[in-house]
Amino acid sequence: MAPLSSSTVLVAALLATTTLAQSNVRVWSSVAWILYGDRTPLLSDNPTLTPLGAQQLKAQGAALRTRYLWKSSPDDDDDDDIDSNGLDDIAPIHGIEQYTINNRQLRAMSTTDTYNIASAMAFFQGLYPPTTIKPSNSTGGAIAATLANGTTMTYPLDGYQYPQIQTLSRLFNPDSIYLDGSSHCPSFLQSMASFPSEETPSSNLSTSSSFYASLYPRIFNSSSLPLDQLDFLQAYNIYDYAAYHHLHNPLLSPLFAEGELPRLRSLASSEIRSRHGNLSLPIRTIAGRTLASYTKSLLVDNIRSAGFTSKLNLLFSSFEPFVAFFALSRLDAGASRELFRELPYPGAVMLFELFSTVNTTKGRDGEEEYPEVKDLKVRFLYRNSSASEARLRVYSLFETGVNYPTLEFLDFERKMGGVGVKGDRKGGDQDVEYGGRGQKKGRVGSWELRNGKKVVEGVGEGVEETGTGARVEVPDRSHLRAVGGRWEEDDDDRLSLYGREPVKAREF
């Protein structure tokens, strides 16, 4: 169970959450980074998700169901998880399927760690529980569920739903860097070869060894760690082992004295921050930089499709991206620094929500029109547990202050780009080298021509003024749409937009 925060942290968090109660907010997309649930220790032969861990992830899935899918399915028999998750605010994603999985709207990705994959599956049991409602159109709809003789079929286990979860191998899939940017980055591994160094608090090195030695006869004598390796360099593995047995082992649990497990956790948090959150050595935060880049690109995908795709993006990873991003975004230096300077608890979730105020303008089909880029905003929410008493709260990124917990999307894009990785090898303002392959994403922008003069809205890439027109260089015309103007293509496959009346080209 997560410890209570200080009064200062609570006051700051409560101030920040006041903006969540706005009834005129429309959420278009969310990127959720989700930590695996309770598992067996990493020092064991094959770390696996425990039944408790599966329940934690199911509860977190139910919490996001409450927030994003508006209400539970009418044929759910057990709504206890949904009603007891501690959330008192809902923010439905516009146009998302309520009851049945539509894999065209969702993106679910996990590393190949067995406990991460199992966590993703358990999470979906809470997000989209079994249902006897007709399948989503993306899986064939009512026709696929009906046989020629009129018999209606349901999936096994009372309508269990099957999500599409993409597992990314660290060895064979270059996109795995977005979920786990540090494991196979040569520059990061080279930096770790010199750990610890002068950036590690000397007090941790000098005092932790004697503390660990005092615990060895009671707690660690049956572990795979010999006494001479119980030091700050192994702080996380030591805590990981101790926390598991404190929770699961009836023989070892009573042997812990009061305050010992919290101290082990504090030392583990310090070690992980030194390894993954050290801003003076930019490569140390590579896991957070890849997180920043991918988060931004997923929201861009939603914008480019005018809200059709990437409505809900679920990314299942370890704690390293969390810790690194807390440092990069200055969350660990803000009003709630105590919360963000500790390790996330099992099942913790970070949310990046793309939203706008409700747009009353209707399109030709009667649906609410997708807003202009300049009207979109982003807010960051964090829930450091899946326990029923844990609250989902909004926090200010990049030290913008508790009174300004949201960012204009274009400002968010710029700040995330500043700390992220760019192109194939470079990362942010710090020019961080990444040893693996990345994926280059374009930038979002819109351009208007008014009386022959270009008015720039956003940060569109590849646009230059050409007298009475704007020239937009793109590899494929399908990446852009024009309203009220005409495209002309030259021999170099460059597209130019011209029009006497006000025209607009919007990248999507």
Side-chain angles (χ1 to χ4, degrees), residues 191-264:
S191 174
M192 283 294 97
S194 61
F195 183 85
S197 57
E198 62 275 5
E199 85 274 2
T200 302
S202 58
S203 58
N204 287 334
L205 292 171
S206 60
T207 63
S208 59
S209 295
S210 58
F211 171 58
Y212 292 139
S214 70
L215 295 177
Y216 186 80
R218 285 180 287 132
I219 308 300
F220 298 106
N221 60 351
S222 60
S223 72
S224 60
L225 280 173
L227 177 60
D228 60 0
Q229 290 187 20
L230 263 66
D231 56 30
F232 185 71
L233 297 180
Q234 296 284 345
Y236 177 77
N237 285 333
I238 293 170
Y239 165 72
D240 186 46
Y241 176 90
Y244 174 81
H245 285 281
H246 183 270
L247 184 61
H248 292 276
N249 192 327
L251 298 178
L252 287 184
S253 184
L255 301 181
F256 285 88
E258 184 177 359
E260 288 180 338
L261 191 65
R263 186 177 178 187
L264 289 171

XYZ file of all heavy atoms in Angstrom, residues 191-264:
590
model
N 27.812 3.985 -19.805
C 27.704 4.852 -18.631
C 27.538 4.033 -17.361
O 28.099 4.376 -16.313
C 26.513 5.809 -18.804
O 26.296 6.571 -17.644
N 26.793 2.950 -17.455
C 26.575 2.102 -16.285
C 27.849 1.384 -15.848
O 27.982 0.992 -14.684
C 25.487 1.070 -16.580
C 24.071 1.617 -16.548
S 23.549 2.173 -14.902
C 23.878 3.928 -15.027
N 28.795 1.220 -16.771
C 30.033 0.528 -16.424
C 30.826 1.295 -15.377
O 31.621 0.706 -14.637
C 30.876 0.324 -17.680
N 30.614 2.612 -15.307
C 31.335 3.433 -14.339
C 30.501 3.750 -13.102
O 30.904 4.551 -12.261
C 31.773 4.743 -14.986
O 30.648 5.487 -15.433
N 29.327 3.121 -12.980
C 28.464 3.367 -11.825
C 28.910 2.494 -10.658
O 29.206 1.305 -10.857
C 27.011 3.043 -12.193
C 26.024 3.338 -11.100
C 25.508 4.608 -10.965
C 25.630 2.354 -10.207
C 24.596 4.893 -9.964
C 24.728 2.627 -9.207
C 24.199 3.905 -9.087
N 28.971 2.977 -9.422
C 28.652 4.352 -9.036
C 29.849 5.270 -9.255
O 30.992 4.808 -9.318
C 28.333 4.221 -7.552
C 29.246 3.137 -7.093
C 29.313 2.149 -8.246
N 29.601 6.528 -9.347
C 30.670 7.504 -9.482
C 30.376 8.664 -8.562
O 29.604 8.542 -7.615
C 30.776 7.950 -10.947
O 29.545 8.475 -11.406
N 30.943 9.797 -8.881
C 30.814 10.909 -7.950
C 29.388 11.409 -7.783
O 29.072 12.103 -6.823
C 31.698 12.079 -8.413
C 31.328 12.650 -9.763
C 31.970 11.876 -10.906
O 32.611 10.840 -10.629
O 31.830 12.303 -12.062
N 28.475 11.028 -8.721
C 27.108 11.534 -8.579
C 26.295 10.747 -7.562
O 25.209 11.140 -7.189
C 26.389 11.518 -9.943
C 25.751 10.189 -10.319
C 26.722 9.243 -10.988
O 27.901 9.626 -11.117
O 26.315 8.141 -11.389
N 26.809 9.605 -7.120
C 26.084 8.803 -6.144
C 26.313 9.357 -4.739
O 27.453 9.577 -4.346
C 26.566 7.338 -6.204
O 26.365 6.837 -7.518
C 25.784 6.486 -5.212
N 25.251 9.609 -3.966
C 25.432 10.131 -2.603
C 26.343 9.239 -1.780
O 26.107 8.034 -1.640
C 24.006 10.140 -2.046
C 23.120 10.192 -3.252
C 23.848 9.427 -4.313
N 27.409 9.821 -1.242
C 28.373 9.033 -0.480
C 27.739 8.428 0.763
O 28.145 7.356 1.229
C 29.567 9.903 -0.091
O 29.139 11.027 0.671
N 26.714 9.109 1.307
C 26.068 8.592 2.510
C 25.410 7.242 2.248
O 25.410 6.363 3.112
C 25.033 9.590 3.032
O 24.053 9.857 2.035
N 24.870 7.068 1.050
C 24.248 5.794 0.716
C 25.275 4.677 0.666
O 25.026 3.554 1.115
C 23.525 5.887 -0.627
C 22.246 6.696 -0.536
O 21.642 6.791 0.520
N 21.839 7.302 -1.645
N 26.447 4.985 0.114
C 27.487 3.973 -0.005
C 28.055 3.589 1.358
O 28.333 2.418 1.622
C 28.610 4.480 -0.912
C 28.255 4.663 -2.392
C 29.384 5.363 -3.123
C 27.961 3.318 -3.041
N 28.215 4.566 2.219
C 28.889 4.310 3.488
C 27.972 3.687 4.533
O 28.419 2.891 5.363
C 29.489 5.613 4.031
O 28.459 6.571 4.244
N 26.695 4.056 4.502
C 25.795 3.588 5.569
C 24.969 2.368 5.185
O 24.520 1.638 6.069
C 24.840 4.716 5.992
O 24.006 5.081 4.881
C 25.609 5.936 6.468
N 24.749 2.169 3.880
C 23.854 1.076 3.485
C 24.463 -0.297 3.736
O 23.744 -1.238 4.077
C 23.472 1.219 2.010
O 24.615 1.193 1.173
N 25.775 -0.422 3.582
C 26.401 -1.740 3.728
C 26.190 -2.317 5.116
O 25.869 -3.507 5.272
C 27.897 -1.650 3.406
O 28.096 -1.311 2.050
N 26.360 -1.486 6.141
C 26.168 -1.985 7.505
C 24.704 -2.329 7.761
O 24.387 -3.289 8.482
C 26.658 -0.948 8.517
O 25.967 0.282 8.355
N 23.804 -1.552 7.158
C 22.367 -1.837 7.307
C 22.025 -3.167 6.653
O 21.329 -4.007 7.256
C 21.570 -0.700 6.686
C 20.089 -0.957 6.585
C 19.326 -1.249 7.718
C 19.438 -0.908 5.353
C 17.966 -1.487 7.632
C 18.077 -1.142 5.264
C 17.340 -1.431 6.399
N 22.518 -3.380 5.440
C 22.253 -4.649 4.760
C 22.851 -5.825 5.530
O 22.235 -6.899 5.631
C 22.825 -4.614 3.348
C 22.110 -3.655 2.404
C 22.828 -2.869 1.508
C 20.727 -3.547 2.414
C 22.184 -1.996 0.641
C 20.078 -2.674 1.558
C 20.808 -1.896 0.675
O 20.167 -1.027 -0.174
N 24.047 -5.625 6.079
C 24.699 -6.706 6.829
C 23.877 -7.099 8.051
O 23.814 -8.286 8.414
C 26.103 -6.276 7.246
N 23.222 -6.123 8.660
C 22.398 -6.433 9.842
C 21.163 -7.246 9.482
O 20.618 -7.971 10.320
C 21.993 -5.135 10.545
O 21.050 -4.402 9.760
N 20.714 -7.128 8.228
C 19.531 -7.868 7.784
C 19.868 -9.264 7.270
O 18.979 -10.125 7.189
C 18.813 -7.102 6.674
C 18.197 -5.745 7.021
C 17.585 -5.112 5.775
C 17.136 -5.903 8.093
N 21.121 -9.470 6.924
C 21.475 -10.715 6.233
C 21.090 -11.976 7.009
O 20.454 -12.881 6.431
C 22.969 -10.731 5.916
C 23.374 -11.920 5.073
C 23.172 -11.926 3.693
C 23.913 -13.054 5.673
C 23.525 -13.019 2.926
C 24.266 -14.163 4.915
C 24.062 -14.134 3.539
O 24.404 -15.233 2.786
N 21.427 -12.101 8.290
C 21.094 -13.358 8.985
C 19.601 -13.640 9.031
O 19.178 -14.807 8.985
C 21.660 -13.135 10.397
C 22.676 -12.066 10.246
C 22.154 -11.168 9.171
N 18.779 -12.588 9.117
C 17.327 -12.782 9.241
C 16.624 -12.926 7.892
O 15.725 -13.745 7.731
C 16.707 -11.589 9.982
C 16.958 -11.562 11.454
C 16.287 -10.339 12.087
N 16.977 -9.095 11.778
C 16.377 -7.988 11.352
N 15.066 -7.983 11.173
N 17.069 -6.889 11.118
N 17.015 -12.118 6.907
C 16.213 -11.975 5.691
C 16.881 -12.577 4.458
O 16.221 -13.218 3.633
C 15.911 -10.480 5.423
C 15.321 -9.813 6.666
C 14.991 -10.325 4.224
C 14.028 -10.415 7.143
N 18.189 -12.397 4.310
C 18.826 -12.690 3.028
C 19.730 -13.920 3.027
O 20.346 -14.211 2.005
C 19.652 -11.476 2.577
C 18.830 -10.244 2.348
C 18.858 -9.193 3.257
C 18.008 -10.124 1.233
C 18.101 -8.058 3.063
C 17.247 -8.990 1.027
C 17.284 -7.946 1.947
N 19.796 -14.640 4.123
C 20.737 -15.765 4.146
C 20.334 -16.884 3.201
O 21.147 -17.717 2.825
C 20.919 -16.298 5.566
C 19.613 -16.783 6.167
O 18.543 -16.575 5.606
N 19.701 -17.411 7.336
N 19.061 -16.912 2.791
C 18.624 -17.942 1.842
C 18.483 -17.395 0.419
O 18.014 -18.106 -0.472
C 17.286 -18.547 2.293
O 16.285 -17.543 2.367
N 18.872 -16.151 0.215
C 18.763 -15.563 -1.119
C 19.997 -15.922 -1.943
O 20.969 -16.495 -1.433
C 18.630 -14.042 -1.029
O 19.856 -13.457 -0.639
N 19.952 -15.551 -3.231
C 21.090 -15.817 -4.112
C 22.154 -14.737 -4.008
O 23.178 -14.813 -4.685
C 20.605 -15.924 -5.566
O 19.973 -14.717 -5.980
N 21.929 -13.708 -3.184
C 22.904 -12.639 -3.011
C 23.829 -12.960 -1.844
O 23.378 -13.088 -0.699
C 22.199 -11.306 -2.742
C 21.643 -10.554 -3.944
C 20.832 -9.350 -3.477
C 22.758 -10.107 -4.867
N 25.140 -13.118 -2.083
C 26.062 -13.326 -0.968
C 26.222 -12.045 -0.160
O 25.930 -10.948 -0.638
C 27.381 -13.711 -1.670
C 27.271 -13.122 -3.038
C 25.809 -13.144 -3.383
N 26.696 -12.179 1.056
C 26.814 -11.045 1.960
C 27.675 -9.941 1.375
O 27.358 -8.753 1.522
C 27.391 -11.506 3.301
C 27.635 -10.408 4.351
C 26.330 -9.689 4.690
C 28.272 -11.011 5.611
N 28.741 -10.294 0.682
C 29.651 -9.257 0.172
C 29.065 -8.489 -1.018
O 29.681 -7.532 -1.494
C 31.003 -9.868 -0.210
C 30.898 -10.936 -1.286
O 29.758 -11.214 -1.754
O 31.935 -11.506 -1.664
N 27.910 -8.866 -1.521
C 27.261 -8.138 -2.605
C 26.037 -7.353 -2.140
O 25.346 -6.737 -2.948
C 26.849 -9.116 -3.717
C 28.011 -9.697 -4.485
C 27.559 -10.531 -5.672
O 26.438 -10.393 -6.155
N 28.435 -11.411 -6.132
N 25.801 -7.355 -0.844
C 24.691 -6.574 -0.307
C 25.165 -5.147 -0.059
O 25.661 -4.811 1.028
C 24.164 -7.196 0.992
C 22.926 -8.097 0.843
C 23.269 -9.334 0.037
C 22.371 -8.484 2.199
N 25.065 -4.321 -1.087
C 25.460 -2.926 -0.960
C 24.571 -2.081 -1.859
O 23.628 -2.580 -2.484
C 26.942 -2.728 -1.299
C 27.304 -3.235 -2.693
O 26.435 -3.204 -3.606
O 28.454 -3.663 -2.896
N 24.879 -0.795 -1.940
C 24.031 0.146 -2.666
C 23.908 -0.198 -4.144
O 22.901 0.133 -4.778
C 24.587 1.557 -2.488
C 23.712 2.624 -3.098
C 22.493 2.961 -2.532
C 24.116 3.292 -4.254
C 21.687 3.938 -3.093
C 23.315 4.269 -4.817
C 22.098 4.600 -4.232
N 24.909 -0.869 -4.714
C 24.848 -1.241 -6.131
C 23.723 -2.230 -6.403
O 23.288 -2.371 -7.546
C 26.186 -1.833 -6.582
C 27.399 -0.904 -6.529
C 28.642 -1.631 -7.005
C 27.157 0.333 -7.367
N 23.275 -2.907 -5.375
C 22.202 -3.897 -5.512
C 20.949 -3.457 -4.768
O 20.090 -4.273 -4.437
C 22.673 -5.252 -4.961
C 23.817 -5.888 -5.715
C 23.361 -6.490 -7.029
O 22.177 -6.680 -7.260
N 24.307 -6.804 -7.890
N 20.818 -2.149 -4.520
C 19.727 -1.663 -3.662
C 18.353 -2.067 -4.182
O 17.482 -2.471 -3.393
C 19.816 -0.150 -3.507
N 18.137 -1.970 -5.503
C 16.809 -2.332 -6.011
C 16.559 -3.830 -5.888
O 15.481 -4.250 -5.448
C 16.621 -1.907 -7.461
C 15.265 -2.357 -7.959
C 14.118 -1.664 -7.603
C 15.117 -3.530 -8.703
C 12.853 -2.112 -7.978
C 13.869 -3.984 -9.084
C 12.739 -3.268 -8.729
O 11.499 -3.726 -9.089
N 17.527 -4.662 -6.288
C 17.331 -6.104 -6.205
C 17.104 -6.545 -4.762
O 16.321 -7.463 -4.492
C 18.536 -6.830 -6.793
C 18.559 -6.786 -8.305
O 17.505 -6.686 -8.945
N 19.741 -6.840 -8.896
N 17.793 -5.887 -3.828
C 17.620 -6.213 -2.416
C 16.205 -5.871 -1.969
O 15.518 -6.677 -1.319
C 18.669 -5.460 -1.568
C 20.076 -5.990 -1.878
C 18.357 -5.594 -0.078
C 21.187 -5.149 -1.286
N 15.762 -4.673 -2.298
C 14.399 -4.277 -1.926
C 13.366 -5.162 -2.612
O 12.373 -5.566 -1.992
C 14.168 -2.812 -2.299
C 12.705 -2.435 -2.276
C 12.018 -2.316 -1.068
C 12.004 -2.218 -3.465
C 10.663 -1.991 -1.038
C 10.650 -1.893 -3.445
C 9.990 -1.791 -2.239
O 8.661 -1.476 -2.214
N 13.567 -5.460 -3.885
C 12.638 -6.284 -4.657
C 12.442 -7.645 -3.983
O 11.316 -8.134 -3.838
C 13.191 -6.441 -6.076
C 12.240 -7.166 -7.006
O 11.040 -6.820 -7.005
O 12.690 -8.069 -7.729
N 13.538 -8.231 -3.564
C 13.489 -9.528 -2.883
C 12.787 -9.397 -1.529
O 11.900 -10.196 -1.177
C 14.915 -10.058 -2.702
C 15.016 -11.356 -1.936
C 14.971 -12.582 -2.595
C 15.161 -11.353 -0.551
C 15.069 -13.779 -1.887
C 15.261 -12.539 0.167
C 15.210 -13.753 -0.507
O 15.301 -14.936 0.188
N 13.169 -8.367 -0.783
C 12.617 -8.196 0.566
C 11.121 -7.886 0.516
O 10.338 -8.415 1.315
C 13.364 -7.091 1.300
N 10.705 -7.014 -0.412
C 9.294 -6.633 -0.501
C 8.421 -7.834 -0.850
O 7.306 -7.984 -0.320
C 9.124 -5.526 -1.548
N 8.922 -8.694 -1.744
C 8.150 -9.879 -2.112
C 7.947 -10.793 -0.918
O 6.822 -11.250 -0.634
C 8.856 -10.626 -3.248
C 8.200 -11.940 -3.592
C 7.074 -11.979 -4.407
C 8.695 -13.131 -3.080
C 6.453 -13.182 -4.713
C 8.083 -14.341 -3.381
C 6.964 -14.365 -4.198
O 6.349 -15.556 -4.486
N 9.021 -11.073 -0.182
C 8.906 -12.009 0.939
C 8.167 -11.379 2.119
O 7.500 -12.095 2.880
C 10.304 -12.487 1.354
C 10.885 -13.479 0.397
N 10.525 -14.804 0.394
C 11.768 -13.326 -0.624
C 11.173 -15.446 -0.574
N 11.936 -14.568 -1.202
N 8.266 -10.068 2.273
C 7.493 -9.403 3.315
C 5.993 -9.567 3.066
O 5.199 -9.695 4.008
C 7.861 -7.918 3.371
C 7.168 -7.158 4.454
N 5.950 -6.533 4.272
C 7.520 -6.932 5.752
C 5.588 -5.956 5.393
N 6.512 -6.170 6.313
N 5.608 -9.596 1.792
C 4.203 -9.707 1.420
C 3.726 -11.148 1.323
O 2.570 -11.452 1.659
C 3.972 -8.995 0.082
C 2.541 -8.902 -0.444
C 1.660 -8.126 0.529
C 2.523 -8.241 -1.822
N 4.597 -12.056 0.903
C 4.149 -13.413 0.561
C 4.663 -14.519 1.485
O 4.089 -15.616 1.480
C 4.590 -13.753 -0.878
C 3.913 -12.961 -1.942
N 2.679 -13.302 -2.453
C 4.288 -11.825 -2.593
C 2.324 -12.422 -3.378
N 3.289 -11.516 -3.486
N 5.723 -14.269 2.221
C 6.369 -15.354 2.971
C 6.000 -15.271 4.454
O 6.457 -14.373 5.168
C 7.893 -15.250 2.803
C 8.610 -16.487 3.306
O 8.183 -17.126 4.262
N 9.731 -16.808 2.662
N 5.182 -16.207 4.944
C 4.751 -16.146 6.353
C 5.887 -16.407 7.338
O 5.756 -16.080 8.524
C 3.675 -17.233 6.437
C 4.011 -18.191 5.341
C 4.589 -17.366 4.239
N 7.001 -16.962 6.863
C 8.134 -17.217 7.751
C 9.036 -15.983 7.872
O 9.527 -15.662 8.956
C 8.945 -18.418 7.243
C 8.203 -19.758 7.200
C 9.104 -20.846 6.636
C 7.696 -20.138 8.583
N 9.262 -15.293 6.746
C 10.155 -14.138 6.762
C 9.452 -12.846 7.147
O 10.059 -11.962 7.758
C 10.819 -13.960 5.391
C 11.896 -14.963 5.001
C 12.521 -14.580 3.665
C 12.971 -15.050 6.068
N 8.190 -12.703 6.805
C 7.492 -11.436 7.029
C 7.555 -10.962 8.481
O 7.821 -9.775 8.732
C 6.032 -11.556 6.573
O 5.365 -10.323 6.698
N 7.360 -11.841 9.467
C 7.406 -11.365 10.860
C 8.802 -10.953 11.316
O 8.935 -10.332 12.384
C 6.908 -12.578 11.666
C 6.215 -13.463 10.679
C 6.941 -13.256 9.396
N 9.840 -11.294 10.550
C 11.212 -11.012 10.974
C 11.649 -9.585 10.671
O 12.707 -9.149 11.120
C 12.177 -12.001 10.306
C 11.921 -13.485 10.580
C 12.957 -14.347 9.882
C 11.906 -13.763 12.085
N 10.841 -8.845 9.899
C 11.179 -7.458 9.595
C 10.830 -6.570 10.784
O 9.719 -6.643 11.324
C 10.411 -6.959 8.370
C 10.931 -7.475 7.055
C 10.469 -8.676 6.539
C 11.883 -6.757 6.347
C 10.939 -9.151 5.329
C 12.353 -7.223 5.128
C 11.885 -8.423 4.622
N 11.777 -5.740 11.189
C 11.509 -4.747 12.231
C 10.825 -3.536 11.606
O 10.939 -3.290 10.399
C 12.801 -4.328 12.916
N 10.133 -2.753 12.402
C 9.434 -1.577 11.907
C 10.419 -0.592 11.269
O 11.475 -0.298 11.834
C 8.691 -0.890 13.043
C 7.855 0.302 12.597
C 7.072 0.925 13.731
O 7.173 0.400 14.865
O 6.373 1.932 13.498
N 10.076 -0.122 10.106
C 10.902 0.863 9.421
C 11.946 0.285 8.487
O 12.552 1.028 7.706
N 12.185 -1.021 8.563
C 13.248 -1.602 7.733
C 12.854 -1.657 6.259
O 13.662 -1.307 5.386
C 13.622 -2.995 8.247
C 14.397 -2.954 9.549
C 14.777 -4.330 10.055
O 14.115 -5.323 9.661
O 15.725 -4.429 10.850
N 11.633 -2.093 5.965
C 11.224 -2.160 4.562
C 11.155 -0.761 3.928
O 11.627 -0.584 2.798
C 9.886 -2.887 4.425
C 9.491 -3.243 2.979
C 10.478 -4.243 2.393
C 8.081 -3.820 2.944
N 10.588 0.263 4.601
C 10.617 1.606 4.013
C 12.033 2.098 3.745
O 12.270 2.787 2.744
C 9.916 2.467 5.070
C 8.994 1.528 5.770
C 9.744 0.229 5.820
N 12.980 1.764 4.611
C 14.363 2.190 4.364
C 14.941 1.458 3.156
O 15.655 2.059 2.348
C 15.225 1.942 5.598
C 16.642 2.498 5.434
C 17.482 2.322 6.665
N 18.833 2.829 6.453
C 19.826 2.695 7.318
N 19.619 2.076 8.485
N 21.034 3.170 7.025
N 14.635 0.184 3.027
C 15.080 -0.551 1.838
C 14.497 0.073 0.569
O 15.185 0.195 -0.452
C 14.661 -2.021 1.940
C 15.400 -2.885 2.963
C 14.721 -4.249 3.093
C 16.867 -3.056 2.570
